[in-house]
Amino acid sequence: NNGGCDHDCVNSDGSYHCTCRSGYDLQEPHSCHDINECSTGNGGCEHTCTNNDGSYECSCNTGYQLSGHQACIDINECSANNGGCDHNCVNTVGSYHCTCRAGYQLSGFAAKTCVAKEISGCVHGEWTSENQCDCDSGYTGSECNSAICSSECIHGTCTAPE
């Protein structure tokens, strides 16, 4: 019956005592209880500590990966397939974002596809959502294609945008 010990029974001359495996603490003379390694100093984990029966494990926030057993390092999302970006991928700490070359702008809600400004439907502005064009200064309209005139208009064309 293992001397009634939860884990290990150590025999000695005329007696015995119980011991516990790593990750457990001896409670009372025979019982082994899990040690919550995460309750002290987050188990040494840089981001997240998860206590398991007799052990624990570290994990990292989105945009990071485990380096060793406890440290988290930034993932360079741009190193694989340019981050899915059409033109430029800019790695940031814990994340990344796409940018476009001159004359192009990000299109769509995923903000990874670059389209020429003149065919994007957002001529003088930038897409801020899937269907919202934020106009540059001096332009208005749902597609930012109407100039706001601060002077006269000749044949419907503004001579000097505001």
Side-chain angles (χ1 to χ4, degrees), residues 66-155:
L66 204 56
S67 174
H69 297 291
Q70 298 172 320
C72 295
I73 58 172
D74 176 56
I75 295 171
N76 182 352
E77 295 87 353
C78 298
S79 65
N81 194 30
N82 198 38
C85 301
D86 267 0
H87 291 183
N88 308 313
C89 183
V90 180
N91 187 54
T92 60
V93 178
S95 189
Y96 75 103
H97 65 272
C98 301
T99 62
C100 300
R101 294 186 294 266
Y104 292 82
Q105 66 184 26
L106 290 171
S107 175
F109 196 68
K112 292 184 176 189
T113 304
C114 294
V115 295
K117 280 192 171 192
E118 60 271 4
I119 62 169
S120 72
C122 188
V123 178
H124 299 285
E126 298 289 330
W127 287 109
T128 56
S129 69
E130 196 168 343
N131 56 4
Q132 177 66 43
C133 181
D134 185 22
C135 298
D136 294 337
S137 178
Y139 294 91
T140 188
S142 63
E143 295 182 352
C144 299
N145 56 357
S146 299
I148 301 170
C149 293
S150 59
S151 61
E152 65 182 276
C153 289
I154 301 171
H155 304 291

Side-chain angles (χ1 to χ4, degrees), residues 14-91:
S15 185
Y16 72 95
H17 67 275
C18 299
T19 60
C20 299
R21 293 186 291 272
S22 178
Y24 294 87
D25 197 20
L26 185 64
Q27 304 284 316
E28 307 158 13
H30 300 95
S31 300
C32 294
H33 294 276
D34 175 57
I35 296 170
N36 183 351
E37 296 87 354
C38 299
S39 65
T40 304
N42 200 37
C45 300
E46 191 170 344
H47 288 180
T48 304
C49 182
T50 304
N51 187 57
N52 298 322
D53 196 27
S55 185
Y56 72 101
E57 64 184 351
C58 298
S59 58
C60 301
N61 299 338
T62 301
Y64 294 84
Q65 66 185 14
L66 204 56
S67 174
H69 297 291
Q70 298 172 320
C72 295
I73 58 172
D74 176 56
I75 295 171
N76 182 352
E77 295 87 353
C78 298
S79 65
N81 194 30
N82 198 38
C85 301
D86 267 0
H87 291 183
N88 308 313
C89 183
V90 180
N91 187 54

